[in-house]
Amino acid sequence: MPRFGLVPFTKQDVKGGIFRFRLQLPDDVFERLAETGTAGVRRTVTFSLRTRDPMAARSRALRAAADVGDMISAVRSGATSPRRLDPAVYQRDGIVVPNVGSRKQLPSNGAGAGAVKPKKAMTLRRVYEEVYLPRREDRKGAPPRRRARLDMEKAIALFVASAGDLAITSISRKEAEKFVRGLEIGSIGTKKKLVIALSTVCNAAVAADLIPANPFRGLGPDRSAIAAARRSYSRFDHDQLARFFARTEREDGAVLWLPRLLLLTGARLEEMAQLRSEWFVRRDGVEVIDLHNAQVKSAHNRRYIPLHRDLLDLGILDLVRRSPDRLFPELRYRPSAERWSGAISMKLNREIDAALGRDRRLTVHSLRKTFEHAAYVLGVPKPSINAITGHKPGDVSEEHYLMLKDDLPLLKKHIDQIDFPFLKQVCSPIAA
């Protein structure tokens, strides 16, 4: 079966922005089709999905990938004339049954040349598309958010890759427990989110009387385990920072600059990974990063971040002047995860492990914690820390009366108080 975890369609075309499906056949399948003289056989199955909507394109492409997988299985099992794919079936939304000709209605006593072909089983994917989504829209008046749909599709794809495309009635509690035990992906919170997604789809199946009970109910990490995992993230001490930065200073581009930016701004990695040169502006006499047009986690994250004096000394504005658009063009946006920072996050975490040894408590996000702790120890007021890092204001007075997000000279004064002595030894403008 194809790897559904990878989005099986290309990026948008330059002209028109239309998504296309593209999936390469295995060598043995292609050679077998060529040997049997199958008309129009090509090594790569490719056609237009006729949509500019990434969510619609993903749904159509997943259906096409499933049928390509069925064709591959049929060829490997000995079929000499597998059913050809009709692109028109995957160029519109919904579950579309290809037109394979009319069938005779056989007598009820079973007489005739053969039996009526049974209806295709309701799998997790079909329950999600035909039961859960319509039911959710009827109950809430709107479909789930795009990110929630992507999470559900990812969870279903992982289950199919592990256990096969089983009928919903064939998924037992034992099968669900086996899948959850073997699920090794991301953090403990991510694992819980995927299990909840499968449980939500099965709840819809229970409500539709397709199954008597939800096999995924109550599985996965509990809340206490998730809370403990989140509390376990730690901050760097100065010696650990020096050892980590000594490795990144040998690199260039995102690996060199993102640790500097994260440590000296307290920003999230996703915020810095998408930086554009036009977001570096001068406001009220202060050089700042303007995140008002960035893709951020919440409304409180749209803010100005004053540039720390060490960032200016290291030459951040020289990098900005050399960048015609994005500061880190090597980082690619992943629509399936709605993130710019997926690959660089793994790269930086590997650098941390190489410098300090594997420790789940120390990750790239620990740089944000390190900044906040350093600011607090130096006596920077908590409202100023919140304004710089984009945390929600602590109370009504802080949000509506202090309005520190607009007092850039004060924030600049506070951020410049933070000092990391190792930077002067490990980093240098020449290395930038």
Side-chain angles (χ1 to χ4, degrees):
M1 292 295 291
R3 294 178 63 189
F4 293 104
L6 303 177
V7 180
F9 54 83
T10 65
K11 296 180 180 179
Q12 286 175 307
D13 290 345
V14 175
K15 295 182 180 180
I18 304 296
F19 282 97
R20 295 182 61 80
F21 176 81
R22 179 183 176 88
L23 192 62
Q24 185 169 330
L25 296 177
D27 291 341
D28 62 313
V29 173
F30 172 73
E31 291 170 1
R32 183 156 190 161
L33 290 173
E35 288 174 1
T36 57
T38 304
V41 61
R42 294 182 180 180
R43 184 174 294 275
T44 302
V45 179
T46 179
F47 52 82
S48 172
L49 294 170
R50 293 192 178 179
T51 180
R52 295 182 176 87
D53 180 10
M55 192 63 226
R58 180 178 174 82
S59 177
R60 298 176 188 184
L62 286 171
R63 288 193 283 114
D67 288 345
V68 172
D70 292 342
M71 182 194 72
I72 291 172
S73 299
V75 172
R76 286 175 170 168
S77 63
T80 56
S81 56
R83 180 174 64 83
R84 295 183 61 185
L85 296 180
D86 180 8
V89 172
Y90 314 105
Q91 292 171 346
R92 53 187 182 270
D93 294 326
I95 299 295
V96 181
V97 180
N99 183 14
V100 294
S102 59
R103 298 188 179 93
K104 287 186 177 182
Q105 181 66 41
L106 298 180
S108 59
N109 61 4
V116 177
K117 187 175 181 180
K119 187 177 180 180
K120 189 175 181 181
M122 289 293 287
T123 61
L124 266 176
R125 189 178 298 109
R126 288 193 65 197
V127 171
Y128 164 71
E129 294 177 338
E130 298 181 17
V131 179
Y132 168 73
L133 289 179
R135 182 171 181 267
R136 169 62 163 75
E137 191 159 1
D138 287 343
R139 295 177 65 201
K140 302 290 187 178
R145 291 181 300 173
R146 179 173 178 270
R147 185 61 182 267
R149 287 180 286 168
L150 291 175
D151 287 339
M152 287 191 172
E153 291 185 5
K154 180 179 180 180
I156 293 171
L158 288 171
F159 181 82
V160 170
S162 172
D165 202 11
L166 302 176
I168 191 74
T169 53
S170 301
I171 302 175
S172 63
R173 179 72 172 188
K174 184 177 180 181
E175 191 74 47
E177 290 175 346
K178 179 182 176 182
F179 168 73
V180 174
R181 282 197 304 269
L183 188 59
E184 297 180 0
I185 180 171
S187 66
I188 189 172
T190 301
K191 182 175 182 178
K192 182 65 174 179
K193 180 170 62 175
L194 295 178
V195 175
I196 289 175
L198 294 174
S199 181
T200 301
V201 174
C202 289
N203 280 337
V206 172
D209 293 327
L210 296 176
I211 52 177
N214 180 354
F216 290 95
R217 183 178 179 85
L219 295 182
D222 57 24
R223 290 185 178 181
S224 60
I226 296 173
R230 288 175 176 169
R231 286 195 299 268
S232 69
Y233 289 113
S234 185
R235 62 178 183 273
F236 296 100
D237 60 36
H238 284 204
D239 178 63
Q240 291 170 330
L241 284 173
R243 287 153 59 193
F244 168 46
F245 272 68
R247 292 187 60 88
T248 61
E249 291 299 309
R250 306 171 191 170
E251 306 288 341
D252 56 11
V255 179
L256 170 67
W257 278 103
L258 282 175
R260 297 172 170 184
L261 285 162
L262 297 175
L263 181 64
L264 295 173
T265 64
R268 294 180 176 87
L269 177 60
E270 180 64 20
E271 294 170 343
M272 296 294 99
Q274 57 185 296
L275 285 179
R276 298 181 179 274
S277 56
E278 64 191 39
W279 295 353
F280 287 77
V281 298
R282 189 173 182 84
R283 185 178 174 87
D284 296 338
V286 177
E287 298 290 346
V288 300
I289 302 174
D290 182 357
L291 293 181
H292 287 82
N293 292 322
Q295 177 180 300
V296 293
K297 187 176 180 180
S298 65
H300 299 289
N301 303 142
R302 303 189 189 280
R303 64 196 188 279
Y304 296 104
I305 305 177
L307 291 178
H308 192 284
R309 52 185 169 78
D310 286 342
L311 274 176
L312 296 173
D313 292 342
L314 289 169
I316 185 64
L317 294 183
D318 292 334
L319 175 66
V320 171
R321 283 189 284 268
R322 296 195 303 267
S323 305
D325 185 15
R326 293 184 53 238
L327 257 62
F328 309 115
E330 67 268 31
L331 305 184
R332 304 300 182 192
Y333 182 70
R334 288 184 57 204
S336 59
E338 295 184 309
R339 295 176 66 192
W340 292 93
S341 60
I344 191 62
S345 175
M346 291 188 290
K347 169 68 175 174
L348 291 177
N349 283 330
R350 285 195 295 266
E351 293 291 339
I352 293 172
D353 291 343
L356 308 176
R358 184 169 178 80
D359 185 349
R360 289 292 306 215
R361 296 173 301 172
L362 293 175
T363 69
V364 66
H365 192 70
S366 298
L367 293 169
R368 179 172 166 88
K369 288 198 170 187
T370 305
F371 172 89
E372 292 202 27
H373 180 262
Y376 181 80
V377 168
L378 289 170
V380 176
K382 191 63 171 70
S384 290
I385 297 176
N386 289 342
I388 294 170
T389 59
H391 282 306
K392 184 177 180 180
D395 53 30
V396 173
S397 173
E398 181 181 331
E399 182 172 7
H400 297 290
Y401 293 92
L402 291 180
M403 299 180 66
L404 292 185
K405 293 176 69 173
D406 297 327
D407 195 342
L408 297 179
L410 177 63
L411 297 183
K412 169 66 173 174
K413 175 184 175 182
H414 285 160
I415 201 172
D416 280 347
Q417 293 177 21
I418 304 170
D419 184 40
F420 296 101
F422 81 92
L423 284 173
K424 299 177 178 61
Q425 302 172 3
V426 177
C427 310
S428 67
I430 296 176

